[in-house]
């Protein structure tokens, strides 16, 4: 099942990764950029793998690849992990045939699955690939394949294209192993294993164009990583498993922090979800051809980036409508995502009452969860170097661009 409106929890990676582990949106965790100072509601005892083990102690758990979460993986309940890895670990491979450690992540993931199957234990695995994080890298064979092709109408980056086929091959190797284990060992792993695929933020531009609209890669979505426009938060979101009809498609909005309640419902624990969780289970969608709604505590989604490398912005999506609040400019734009996926037509002037109502919902929520707000330094920097015009490009505002 493919979700056309699947969202990362944030426009940058670490907040989304915290959100997946704890089932909570970044405004509530206060992890809204990649170096959180004052996080909240990130108790490792309530992390996803610990709750899975509480629901069924037979489970064995693993995290392979990029971690970038403030609590160590072992404290969160992972029996096997690569440790407290971050962005740079994906570039540390000396093997050109294993760019961004794609194939290494797949091999270690498959080894973990085979061991769990041999021990006849249920398992939870999170395989977090380093691709497509900067710096883009491709295997020699994939790079040669795409360098031999003429530039496309929009896409003309052979390194990026080759890296993505490497990533596809790595993910495919994991799926092939699941199917092969089923065929060889007759343990039924493909028939009782769910696989979810999503990204932790929108597209990066390239190695040398980090900011501005991702015209080549995220089209028709506006902007890219670091922005709360759709190009920064809307990501591939795919699920397969028992009860999911093949080649189905859902338009229902889903988000990274929906994964925790989804996985726990599949395990069916005897305890209720922690009250702090704000995600909703996707099980009813998965087993109903993608039709229906996700039941969450709030009937809206909030994407909050109040401080960091990119301009301070916050978005709220409620139904088909979305507001984007640019804090330094005291500006709130309104878009109709159903009819304007590219966010090119600001409706705020023609629908001021709707803007005011949605802005009130947004501010009420942010205050209720004790969210971080932009500080004076952030606002001053944004005023000096304002949000880039769509279609433009720019240099990183401050700090190290690759640090995000």
């Amino acid at each position: 099942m493919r979700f056309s409106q699947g969202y990362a929890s944030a426009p940058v990676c670490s907040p989304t990764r915290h959100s997946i582990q704890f089932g909570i949106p970044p405004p509530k965790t206060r992890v809204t950029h990649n170096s959180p100072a004052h996080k909240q509601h990130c108790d490792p005892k309530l992390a996803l793998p610990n709750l899975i083990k509480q629901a069924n102690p037979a489970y064995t758990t693993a995290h392979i690849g990029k971690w970038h979460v403030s609590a160590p993986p072992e404290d969160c309940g992972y029996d096997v992990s690569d440790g407290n890895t971050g962005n740079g670990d994906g570039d540390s491979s000396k093997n050109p045939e294993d760019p961004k450690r794609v194939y290494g992540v797949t091999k270690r993931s498959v080894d973990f699955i085979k061991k769990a199957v041999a021990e006849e234990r249920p398992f939870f695995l999170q395989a977090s690939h380093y691709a497509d994080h900067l710096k883009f890298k491709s295997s020699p064979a994939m790079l040669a394949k795409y360098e031999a092709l003429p530039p496309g109408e929009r896409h003309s980056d052979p390194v990026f294209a080759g890296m993505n086929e490497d990533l596809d091959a790595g993910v495919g190797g994991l799926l092939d192993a699941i199917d092969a284990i089923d065929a060889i060992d007759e343990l039924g792993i493909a028939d009782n294993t769910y696989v979810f695929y999503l990204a932790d933020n929108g597209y990066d531009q390239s190695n040398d164009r980090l900011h501005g609209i991702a015209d080549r890669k995220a089209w028709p979505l506006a902007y890219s990583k670091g922005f709360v426009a759709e190009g920064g938060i809307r990501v591939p979101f795919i699920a397969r498993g028992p009860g999911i009809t093949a080649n189905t498609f859902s338009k229902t909005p889903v988000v990274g922090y929906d994964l925790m309640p989804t996985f726990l419902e599949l395990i069916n624990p005897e305890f209720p979800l922690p009250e702090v969780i704000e995600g909703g289970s996707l099980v009813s969608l998965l087993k109903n051809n993608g039709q229906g709604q996700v039941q969450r505590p709030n009937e809206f989604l909030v994407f909050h980036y109040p401080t960091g490398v990119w301009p301070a912005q916050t978005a709220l999506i409620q139904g088909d409508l979305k507001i984007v609040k640019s804090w330094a400019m005291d500006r709130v734009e309104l878009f109709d995502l159903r009819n304007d996926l590219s966010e090119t037509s600001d409706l705020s002037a023609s629908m001021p009452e709707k803007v005011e109502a949605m802005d009130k919902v947004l501010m009420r929520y942010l205050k209720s969860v004790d969210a971080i707000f932009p500080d004076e330094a952030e606002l001053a920097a944004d005023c000096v170097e304002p949000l880039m015009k769509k279609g433009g490009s720019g240099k990183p505002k401050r700090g190290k661009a690759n640090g995000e």
Side-chain angles (χ1 to χ4, degrees):
M1 181 177 294
R2 290 177 294 140
F3 292 89
S4 66
Q5 201 169 350
Y7 288 107
S9 306
V12 292
C13 57
S14 187
T16 295
R17 292 172 178 274
H18 281 78
S19 184
I20 289 172
Q21 297 304 318
F22 299 105
I24 303 168
K28 195 170 185 176
T29 64
R30 288 184 139 225
V31 182
T32 53
H33 62 101
N34 289 337
S35 301
H38 303 291
K39 61 181 181 172
Q40 59 186 11
H41 306 304
C42 294
D43 183 354
K45 295 192 294 296
L46 299 180
L48 176 56
N50 275 329
L51 291 179
I52 287 175
K53 289 181 176 181
Q54 183 181 339
N56 184 345
Y59 265 82
T60 181
T61 59
H63 184 280
I64 308 298
K66 178 180 170 179
W67 178 241
H68 211 175
V69 175
S70 53
E74 59 270 21
D75 289 356
C76 292
Y78 287 104
D79 302 313
V80 176
S81 79
D82 287 345
N84 198 20
T85 56
N87 290 331
D89 297 87
D91 297 323
S92 59
S93 173
K94 304 300 182 183
N95 181 3
E97 301 297 333
D98 190 18
K100 308 297 289 187
R101 298 187 177 272
V102 165
Y103 299 104
V105 167
T106 295
K107 182 183 183 304
R108 293 193 299 281
S109 297
V110 171
D111 289 345
F112 167 76
I113 292 176
K114 287 182 176 179
K115 186 174 186 294
V117 170
E119 296 173 352
E120 299 187 11
R121 295 185 65 182
F123 66 87
F124 171 73
L125 164 70
Q126 182 173 335
S128 294
H129 282 278
Y130 296 97
D132 286 338
H133 195 277
L134 294 174
K135 179 182 180 184
F136 295 166
K137 289 184 178 181
S138 170
S139 64
M142 295 298 185
L143 180 60
K145 173 182 176 179
Y146 287 99
E147 284 182 332
L149 297 176
E153 181 182 346
R154 299 186 188 282
H155 298 263
S156 58
D157 186 342
V159 178
F160 185 80
M163 177 181 61
N164 273 280
E165 189 162 346
D166 283 319
L167 175 60
D168 184 67
V171 174
L174 182 57
L175 297 179
D176 289 345
I178 291 173
D179 295 336
I181 290 170
D182 178 46
I184 295 171
D185 298 334
E186 297 182 353
L187 292 176
I189 183 174
D191 292 334
N192 67 355
T193 301
Y194 289 87
V195 181
F196 289 78
Y197 177 89
L198 69 156
D200 58 9
N201 52 244
Y203 288 98
D204 268 336
Q205 279 283 63
S206 70
N207 290 327
D208 57 355
R209 285 188 68 211
L210 187 59
H211 288 63
I213 186 170
D215 189 46
R216 292 173 297 144
K217 299 183 177 71
W219 186 91
L221 305 181
Y223 284 75
S224 55
K225 175 180 179 178
F227 294 91
V228 297
E230 294 295 284
I233 55 177
R234 192 182 288 216
V235 298
F237 203 120
I238 308 169
R240 74 163 227 185
I244 304 176
T245 303
N247 297 316
T248 45
F249 181 83
S250 179
K251 296 182 179 180
T252 301
V254 296
V255 67
Y257 51 90
D258 290 332
L259 294 180
M260 175 186 279
T262 301
F263 298 161
L264 290 176
E265 181 176 346
L266 291 170
I267 297 172
N268 193 24
E270 295 182 354
F271 59 87
L273 290 174
E275 290 186 5
V276 72
I277 289 176
E278 288 193 17
S281 173
L282 308 180
V283 171
S284 62
L285 291 180
L286 300 175
K287 298 189 175 181
N288 191 36
N289 294 321
Q291 303 300 309
Q293 299 297 319
V294 180
Q295 301 301 314
R296 304 184 187 92
N298 299 305
E299 296 181 353
F300 53 80
L301 300 176
V302 174
F303 303 91
H304 190 47
Y305 190 82
T307 184
V309 172
W310 285 272
Q313 287 186 304
T314 305
L316 180 138
I317 297 175
Q318 196 170 34
D320 293 331
L321 296 179
K322 173 182 178 180
I323 58 170
V324 175
K325 189 181 187 79
S326 297
W327 292 88
M329 303 172 195
D330 195 23
R331 182 180 71 194
V332 181
E333 299 168 283
L334 174 68
F335 302 101
D336 179 356
L337 296 179
R338 179 173 294 275
N339 299 305
D340 181 24
L341 183 62
S342 300
E343 298 170 275
T344 57
S345 299
D346 177 13
L347 304 176
S348 59
S350 60
M351 302 174 66
E353 285 136 4
K354 176 57 71 173
V355 172
E356 182 180 1
M358 292 180 68
D359 189 42
K360 284 182 178 178
V361 170
L362 172 62
M363 295 303 295
R364 187 182 307 120
Y365 172 76
L366 294 177
K367 291 175 181 177
S368 73
V369 299
D370 193 23
I372 294 173
F373 289 91
D375 57 25
E376 291 184 5
E378 173 70 38
L379 297 177
D382 287 357
C383 287
V384 172
E385 301 177 69
L387 186 66
M388 278 73 71
K389 299 289 185 183
K390 292 179 181 177
S393 62
K395 296 179 180 179
K397 206 167 52 144
R398 56 186 176 279
K400 294 182 180 180
N402 202 32
E404 289 277 351

